[in-house]
Amino acid sequence: MVSLADRRSMAMGAMNNFVVDPDKPMPTDTHLTRRYLLKASAPTVGVAVAAPALSAARPANRIVSGADFGAKGDGIADDSAAFRAALATGQVVDVPPGTFRIEVPLVLSDGQVLRGSGRSGWEPYTGKGPPRSATRTEIIINGRLAIDARNSNNVAIVGIAIRAKEARQSDWGAEPGFQPGAIGIDIAGSQQFEARDVSFHGLEIGVESVSDGGRSAQMPHIGEWLAHDCGTVFRFISNDRDFYAVRDARIDGCIAALHCGRIAEIRKCDGLRIENVRFFQCKYNSLLIERTPFVAITGATLFETGAEAIVLRECQYVTMAGVQVARTGFYRAGKLIQQAALLIENCDDLAFDGLVEQPVGRAFTIRDSVNLSINAAIGTPFWSTGSLGSREGAIHIERSRAILINASFGGIFYWVAVWADAASASSINGRITTEGPAGVVRCVQLQAAPLGHVARTATATSVAPGKSVKLDELRVLVPPGKALVSCSIELTTPGIAFFAGQQRWNVERVAEPGGGSLSLERNLLHRNDTTLPRYAAVPIEVYNSTDHPITIPAGHETRLSLAIE
């Protein structure tokens, strides 16, 4: 048995005599720990210990070029064998300028780098394909996978364009011109994958990680990239509710991605950062994210989509800051369909800070969500659809709680700024301001007085059949040449209708939850035809439309949402 003193002597002898050959690489899969040195020195004490040979699966630590192994780069010859041979030998494999046809996926091992001379450019708006001299280093595939980085550790792809052989540049509003089956990079199960200065052209999928078990892809980073006419640029999916396809993904530095079906389809991931990106003209959504906690979208411009620009379902801890969303629903041939710019469903703990400009339909649809903060400038909702008088609201909220809204609304051609159902309205707070005559439904607390007004009775009052009773009077300063109109009126006592200026508002919802009624009639309350501002005295009356007396209890509320037009 070796004594402790002998073990220390063996370790010191190993460290004193450990020789590193400068012409040989250090083993990267072995750590120089005390345990390793003791193990290496156990057979003989005081003898130089050579570094163990690299495993057969790992290439030597040197730089090679695909051209050294016969890659032609003429776009005609199959260069798969040349690059597979280079990858079997080199740690860093250079891909020189040219167009390289790949018929067999290139498999990357741990620590390898595939390095080209730069991504490709193209003419994004002319429909004429790449401009002259736009191609640097390009890999062409014909309906198959280009690069296999599955289950690898710390691999990188730099300065390379990946293009489908049958890709085409689509016309405005048409289906993206991708080739079915063409996939750029598969990163399922990889660790710390990185791609920089890359571009994707006409691929069904640009970067993919689809896993229902095994090992999650950990901390992939794709930066400084371009894309056009892809079906989906990033597709990270797990169909197993207990398994994350990707953890802590970062996608940033997109100069432009356009004419794609979607930019990202993310289902069941853990941690996603999308930063400093510009997405244009997606046929469907720019971002579809489901069942993913810890999502951060910052410094993003999303311009023209055929459906919702951002869809978030079953997500938690979401931050969107410096986000610009414009012309949602407009990117489609034929008749426009009303879409929300952002669809948020079953989400908890979400904050949005940004601009929503000219959505074809709503700005936000929020359903079954808790603890949301919306801080937004919203310009001309229901733009160009013929739904400018929509009663559904530029911000539409259903079955949600703890919602804070601070929003300004530009444009004058829509009716309701915020619509909330009865289950949501009581837990909504904040403030809105509007350029035009837009009001709210069931959440008058969002409007500053007097346009948002609640009249509460102090004592019980009886109203005879077919008669009206004045409960209060509201005074509103109306600018010259403007009119004061009603947007919505809620009554918390059933069987009565709002009455003012000898006109009665029709009750449109008799059975509001908790009793009462709702009217969305847009009626004139006062018009100022003078050249000076004038106060309008608006009587707040209720009318008994039944054949029996009605007692209005103490605490009855008449909630008015008014607008100036």
Side-chain angles (χ1 to χ4, degrees):
M1 183 173 179
V2 181
S3 67
L4 178 60
D6 289 339
R7 288 171 63 88
R8 288 175 177 169
S9 177
M10 292 163 61
M12 292 302 296
M15 287 187 285
N16 291 334
N17 293 282
F18 191 84
V19 178
V20 178
D21 187 343
D23 296 326
K24 293 183 178 180
M26 289 289 292
T28 58
D29 53 356
T30 305
H31 298 287
L32 296 181
T33 62
R34 182 175 65 175
R35 178 176 295 180
Y36 165 71
L37 291 169
L38 288 171
K39 181 178 178 182
S41 62
T44 53
V45 179
V47 178
V49 181
L54 291 171
S55 65
R58 188 174 182 81
N61 187 14
R62 62 193 182 95
I63 300 174
V64 299
S65 172
D68 297 338
F69 294 83
K72 298 184 180 302
D74 59 5
I76 300 173
D78 180 4
D79 291 318
S80 305
F83 280 106
R84 288 170 71 89
L87 287 166
T89 305
Q91 186 81 22
V92 177
V93 176
D94 282 337
V95 188
T99 300
F100 299 88
R101 185 165 67 89
I102 300 298
E103 295 294 338
V104 180
L106 305 182
V107 181
L108 300 184
S109 300
D110 291 359
Q112 285 193 303
V113 179
L114 195 62
R115 184 172 66 185
S117 61
R119 62 179 180 262
S120 295
W122 77 98
E123 293 285 359
Y125 302 114
T126 64
K128 296 180 180 178
R132 223 173 341 177
S133 303
T135 301
R136 298 174 185 168
T137 296
E138 189 171 64
I139 289 175
I140 293 182
I141 54 174
N142 190 10
R144 54 177 48 83
L145 175 64
I147 300 171
D148 186 350
R150 289 176 295 174
N151 301 310
S152 63
N153 188 4
N154 195 30
V155 304
I157 299 170
V158 182
I160 291 176
I162 304 175
R163 177 168 63 88
K165 181 182 178 183
E166 303 299 327
R168 59 179 176 79
Q169 191 156 10
S170 60
D171 294 329
W172 188 95
E175 293 289 333
F178 65 86
Q179 181 178 1
I183 301 174
I185 309 166
D186 192 338
I187 64 169
S190 65
Q191 309 292 299
Q192 299 182 53
F193 168 84
E194 183 172 15
R196 289 182 289 107
D197 190 22
V198 293
S199 57
F200 308 100
H201 308 266
L203 307 177
E204 183 175 2
I205 301 168
V207 181
E208 181 175 59
S209 176
V210 177
S211 304
D212 294 335
R215 187 168 74 169
S216 301
Q218 301 270 5
M219 294 182 284
H221 174 210
I222 299 93
E224 301 174 40
W225 58 278
L226 301 169
H228 80 87
D229 283 289
C230 293
T232 302
V233 184
F234 302 100
R235 187 168 183 258
F236 302 157
I237 293 180
S238 170
N239 295 312
D240 184 341
R241 297 189 68 89
D242 297 322
F243 178 80
Y244 291 115
V246 175
R247 290 180 180 269
D248 300 314
R250 181 181 175 188
I251 299 168
D252 62 26
C254 174
I255 297 171
L258 74 160
H259 288 212
C260 296
R262 286 190 179 98
I263 302 301
E265 181 182 0
I266 310 294
R267 302 180 193 268
K268 190 59 178 179
C269 294
D270 181 17
L272 173 67
R273 293 166 60 190
I274 299 175
E275 304 170 339
N276 191 24
V277 294
R278 301 169 75 223
F279 304 150
F280 299 109
Q281 298 169 337
C282 288
K283 183 66 176 177
Y284 307 107
N285 321 110
S286 289
L287 302 173
L288 172 62
I289 305 172
E290 297 182 347
R291 306 194 308 276
T292 298
F294 300 105
V295 176
I297 304 170
T298 58
T301 297
L302 296 78
F303 180 79
E304 289 189 359
T305 54
E308 297 90 350
I310 300 175
V311 177
L312 293 159
R313 292 192 180 101
E314 297 183 63
C315 295
Q316 293 177 297
Y317 322 127
V318 179
T319 300
M320 291 176 277
V323 175
Q324 299 176 330
V325 183
R327 295 191 182 184
T328 301
F330 187 70
Y331 186 66
R332 59 187 307 116
K335 184 180 178 180
L336 297 177
I337 299 175
Q338 186 167 305
Q339 304 283 356
L342 288 89
L343 174 60
I344 301 169
E345 295 181 321
N346 293 101
C347 291
D348 297 345
D349 308 330
L350 178 149
F352 176 91
D353 191 330
L355 168 71
V356 179
E357 181 64 32
Q358 294 181 329
V360 164
R362 304 169 184 160
F364 293 84
T365 297
I366 300 170
R367 299 190 182 105
D368 304 297
S369 297
V370 178
N371 190 23
L372 273 59
S373 174
I374 306 297
N375 185 29
I378 299 172
T380 316
F382 308 104
W383 176 68
S384 72
T385 63
S387 301
L388 304 178
S390 173
R391 298 178 177 183
E392 297 183 345
I395 299 177
H396 183 93
I397 305 171
E398 300 177 21
R399 301 178 301 276
S400 298
R401 305 186 310 279
I403 311 296
L404 177 65
I405 298 173
N406 288 290
S408 59
F409 293 82
I412 60 174
F413 302 114
Y414 61 98
W415 189 346
V416 177
V418 181
W419 184 99
D421 65 6
S424 309
S426 62
S427 64
I428 296 174
N429 215 327
R431 184 67 75 213
I432 68 165
T433 181
T434 64
E435 176 189 359
V440 298
V441 174
R442 297 191 187 90
C443 45
V444 298
Q445 63 271 25
L446 293 177
Q447 281 186 286
L451 297 182
H453 181 77
V454 178
R456 185 177 291 107
T457 59
T459 59
T461 303
S462 180
V463 187
K467 300 295 183 180
S468 65
V469 171
K470 182 178 178 180
L471 302 179
D472 198 357
E473 184 173 277
L474 176 65
R475 294 182 65 82
V476 180
L477 184 64
V478 180
K482 298 292 185 179
L484 179 68
V485 297
S486 62
C487 291
S488 71
I489 296 175
E490 301 168 70
L491 301 170
T492 60
T493 300
I496 58 176
F498 184 72
F499 191 81
Q502 302 303 310
Q503 59 181 333
R504 186 175 67 191
W505 273 245
N506 292 321
V507 175
E508 300 186 15
R509 292 288 302 273
V510 177
E512 283 285 282
S517 61
L518 172 69
S519 172
L520 298 180
E521 239 182 322
R522 193 176 186 84
N523 284 332
L524 177 68
L525 293 169
H526 178 82
R527 182 179 299 280
N528 182 4
D529 292 325
T530 72
T531 58
L532 297 173
R534 296 286 186 184
Y535 275 101
V538 180
I540 298 175
E541 302 179 51
V542 293
Y543 179 85
N544 181 359
S545 57
T546 71
D547 59 0
H548 59 272
I550 291 179
T551 298
I552 299 175
H556 161 84
E557 291 184 354
T558 302
R559 302 169 185 161
L560 289 80
S561 174
L562 310 177
I564 301 290
E565 65 176 13

